[in-house]
Amino acid sequence: MCLYILVSYASIIACAQSNAGSDLLPDRTLALVKRLVALTISVLLYYQALLSTNSPILSPKVRFHGRAPIIVICFLLFLCWSWNFLRLPESNASQIHPIDGLLSAASMQHDTWLQQASTSKTLDQCTAEYRRRFKRHPPPGFDAWYRYATERSSVVIDDFDNLMDDLQLFWAIKPAEIRKRTYEAFGDWNEVAKLSIRSGKAEIGPDVRPTHRWMLDGVIAMMNNYIDKIPDMDLGFNINDEPRIAIPYEDLRTLQKESASTGPSKGVVLNEFSKDRAPSWNYSAISETDGPPTPFTDQSFLPSFHTYGSTSCPPSSAARRLHLWDTRSLCTTCIAPHSTSIFLSNWTLSASPCHQPDLAHLHGFYLSPAAFKPSHSLYPIFSQSKAKGFADIRYPSPWNYIDKAVYAPPPNASDPSYDFPFANKKETLFWRGATSEGLSRLGEWQGMARQRLVHLANNHTSSIRFPIFLPDLNAHEGSHYSVHSVPASLLPALGLNITDIHLVSKIDRCWDSDCPTQAREFGLSEPSDFQSHWQYKYLIDLDGAGFSGR
């Protein structure tokens, strides 16, 4: 009997092994199957031993009959056979195109988000929902904000997740310390501009560079409609595109625990800010020796991924453990967590560096940022954008609010840039831009996203092959799709050569031989009028040094 059980066990493992690596039974599931089967057989052997010795442990009513182990083994074999028989198709093939599933999922996700973003219909409901979601009382003036939002038919009434995430860590710091760190951050070298609010009026500090004053002018323009509701305070604005605050994982966890321990006050809830706040922002009372000369270090032109970009990731993460030196090969394990076949399926997860050590070589910000003065300590810095993992406080970019990139198509339909109905636009994917992502001096441009896109769109005469999801015309049942490796030279025949993607004017942010090398590789187009974008059906937007202003 024991021999029969062992042979059966070997058969089950062999059957399970044949499914290893399939979608239904991956390797980690195979390991679990082996352990479960081993445990089952161990129990059967134990009972068989008890039966053979007529052990008093087993009563006659519960003793196994001789055929019971065989029945159990046959059942396990049947399950294994079912796995093999019902095995799912390989991830390379599908009866429906993945885009259809992704569109459906995105639509449902959008509807779900929209519904939860505006569940409240009254101020009382909104304040109760705020307390329920964020475990805090709404701030003073919340009633004025509610009226402001509802009068403008805002679709966001209850969703403050991004804002609360950015501010959460500061609950771990005392107000006086926040004011002190704000003071320490100001300065021309620090590239942090000061905005002071006193008695309902905003004033720009003296150290703002003329080339960047538009940022603070735009902030004031955004605040003008409600600035009388804002208490006296000073704010520090990052004048660079690149983010500034990267908290190491260990320090981040400490701040998260301390901030999570704070909660709503249990006393009287006040709907006003404290009086006479201005003196508390009087920096002359703060000794110069109380803080460092500057909390920032200049890391411009230096690789930033391992020193700042991934420091907030757990030590066990791939980004912290691995340094990938083979930059010519695609890291499939890096993209798998946020992908379905060859398609991006989880945009939020794709922004995380923690499972993507390859990002160290795939973006100008991580390769060689042009203006980067970061800190590993928590400072209240307002930035227009940030990479995932940074702790800057995001605010809406004034670039768009003050119409630095204005939508103003010509009114005459005879003009090629006229904004025709979508059906009448050109079937083209269009982009124009400069090499503004990072500075290249030792070939770093080969990893930058803008340069890689231009190369991908125009280098169709090389031996490069593209993974493309295409229908299998010889499929026996219905329409099947699978990934095919297609030579670049065949893309026009497939109708996929519909791009108009080029760099313009001259190569920027480069040193020495990297400038002419890029010019020879890409060629350059003349700048196009911004309004010419509207004649194309498909427009792509790419990061610059940080956020994109388009």
Side-chain angles (χ1 to χ4, degrees):
M1 176 57 72
C2 291
L3 179 60
Y4 180 84
I5 292 174
L6 292 174
V7 171
S8 299
Y9 173 69
S11 300
I12 292 172
I13 296 304
C15 180
Q17 187 70 51
S18 69
N19 284 290
S22 73
D23 292 342
L24 190 59
L25 193 60
D27 291 339
R28 60 182 180 274
T29 307
L30 173 63
L32 177 61
V33 169
K34 291 179 178 179
R35 285 165 174 78
L36 289 175
V37 172
L39 176 61
T40 302
I41 291 178
S42 298
V43 172
L44 293 176
L45 290 173
Y46 174 73
Y47 276 99
Q48 184 67 29
L50 292 177
L51 284 170
S52 65
T53 59
N54 294 318
S55 171
I57 296 177
L58 296 177
S59 66
K61 293 183 179 180
V62 297
R63 289 185 180 178
F64 270 57
H65 296 290
R67 62 180 179 275
I70 300 177
I71 295 174
V72 174
I73 297 280
C74 289
F75 177 72
L76 291 175
L77 284 170
F78 171 79
L79 288 180
C80 183
W81 171 83
S82 299
W83 281 324
N84 195 55
F85 182 76
L86 299 176
R87 181 179 177 182
L88 292 178
E90 294 292 308
S91 59
N92 187 47
S94 175
Q95 285 188 300
I96 64 171
H97 200 289
I99 288 293
D100 295 329
L102 293 174
L103 287 173
S104 177
S107 179
M108 290 188 291
Q109 183 182 15
H110 173 264
D111 292 343
T112 300
W113 182 89
L114 198 61
Q115 184 177 14
Q116 64 83 38
S118 186
T119 61
S120 301
K121 305 303 179 186
T122 66
L123 176 59
D124 288 343
Q125 291 177 356
C126 193
T127 54
E129 182 66 10
Y130 189 101
R131 293 187 181 99
R132 185 190 72 80
R133 293 191 185 196
F134 306 114
K135 307 299 185 292
R136 302 187 186 282
H137 297 303
F142 190 74
D143 52 342
W145 173 87
Y146 179 81
R147 289 193 298 272
Y148 185 90
T150 53
E151 287 171 0
R152 288 159 177 78
S153 301
S154 173
V155 297
V156 180
I157 299 295
D158 297 304
D159 188 290
F160 303 99
D161 289 357
N162 286 337
L163 176 64
M164 300 302 284
D165 287 345
D166 287 355
L167 297 179
Q168 179 64 34
L169 297 180
F170 291 95
W171 287 98
I173 304 177
K174 295 184 180 300
E177 180 64 20
I178 292 178
R179 292 192 291 269
K180 178 173 176 290
R181 295 189 188 189
T182 301
Y183 164 71
E184 293 172 355
F186 292 145
D188 180 61
W189 188 92
N190 291 347
E191 296 173 349
V192 175
K194 176 182 178 181
L195 185 69
S196 294
I197 301 173
R198 299 289 187 272
S199 303
K201 295 182 180 180
E203 181 179 348
I204 300 174
D207 294 328
V208 179
R209 298 177 184 178
T211 53
H212 293 75
R213 188 182 175 90
W214 64 267
M215 293 185 187
L216 281 300
D217 289 334
V219 171
I220 294 175
M222 287 191 286
M223 297 169 63
N224 274 338
N225 287 334
Y226 51 84
I227 197 168
D228 59 312
K229 306 292 191 301
I230 301 177
D232 291 352
M233 66 173 69
D234 291 340
L235 303 173
F237 288 86
N238 173 23
I239 66 171
N240 293 331
D241 294 340
E242 295 86 348
R244 308 294 294 273
I245 308 300
I247 311 297
Y249 177 81
E250 294 74 12
D251 297 337
L252 180 63
R253 292 292 294 163
T254 299
L255 289 168
Q256 289 172 337
K257 292 178 181 178
E258 293 177 356
S259 62
S261 65
T262 64
S265 59
K266 297 181 180 180
V268 178
V269 179
L270 302 176
N271 193 30
E272 60 180 0
F273 292 100
S274 56
K275 304 296 184 181
D276 301 322
R277 293 168 54 91
S280 66
W281 292 94
N282 182 9
Y283 302 126
S284 62
I286 302 177
S287 170
E288 292 290 343
T289 61
D290 285 345
T294 174
F296 305 104
T297 58
D298 192 348
Q299 299 290 307
S300 302
F301 316 145
L302 299 175
S304 68
F305 184 81
H306 294 291
T307 51
Y308 291 92
S310 62
T311 56
S312 66
C313 297
S316 60
S317 66
R320 293 280 299 275
R321 292 185 296 104
L322 303 177
H323 287 248
L324 301 184
W325 304 110
D326 183 7
T327 59
R328 298 180 61 87
S329 300
L330 176 66
C331 177
T332 55
T333 58
C334 299
I335 63 175
H338 56 261
S339 302
T340 296
S341 185
I342 61 173
F343 299 96
L344 174 65
S345 58
N346 190 326
W347 180 87
T348 305
L349 184 60
S350 72
S352 172
C354 296
H355 63 282
Q356 302 181 80
D358 60 332
L359 288 182
H361 307 286
L362 295 178
H363 198 286
F365 171 61
Y366 294 133
L367 282 162
S368 180
F372 188 43
K373 291 182 178 179
S375 174
H376 279 144
S377 300
L378 183 61
Y379 279 80
I381 304 299
F382 287 81
S383 294
Q384 298 174 82
S385 66
K386 64 178 179 180
K388 187 74 171 180
F390 280 76
D392 301 50
I393 305 169
R394 290 166 293 178
Y395 73 100
S397 173
W399 178 278
N400 296 316
Y401 190 83
I402 62 177
D403 290 335
K404 294 281 283 186
V406 63
Y407 169 76
N412 192 344
S414 62
D415 193 306
S417 297
Y418 179 77
D419 193 359
F420 289 99
F422 185 80
N424 298 335
K425 296 178 184 290
K426 296 179 180 178
E427 293 269 1
T428 302
L429 178 65
F430 180 82
W431 181 81
R432 289 289 188 275
T435 55
S436 59
E437 191 176 317
L439 186 138
S440 181
R441 51 182 174 174
L442 297 172
E444 292 94 342
W445 61 269
Q446 297 176 63
M448 297 181 184
R450 291 190 169 199
Q451 285 91 325
R452 287 189 292 116
L453 176 69
V454 174
H455 177 83
L456 184 71
N458 297 292
N459 192 21
H460 292 171
T461 58
S462 70
S463 58
I464 292 178
R465 303 177 72 91
F466 294 98
I468 300 178
F469 216 73
L470 296 172
D472 293 330
L473 300 181
N474 297 324
H476 296 296
E477 299 179 6
S479 297
H480 287 69
Y481 298 86
S482 60
V483 178
H484 297 264
S485 180
V486 179
S489 58
L490 294 182
L491 294 184
L494 294 172
L496 298 176
N497 188 26
I498 55 171
T499 64
D500 188 354
I501 296 174
H502 297 283
L503 298 169
V504 299
S505 299
K506 65 184 182 71
I507 301 297
D508 293 318
R509 296 187 173 180
C510 58
W511 283 0
D512 301 331
S513 61
D514 275 19
C515 302
T517 300
Q518 290 185 75
R520 288 193 302 270
E521 171 66 24
F522 300 118
L524 296 169
S525 294
E526 291 297 320
S528 60
D529 189 320
F530 185 72
Q531 306 309 318
S532 66
H533 283 75
W534 321 131
Q535 62 185 296
Y536 303 101
K537 277 190 175 181
Y538 312 111
L539 302 175
I540 191 169
D541 194 10
L542 293 175
D543 292 345
F547 79 104
S548 170
R550 303 190 190 198

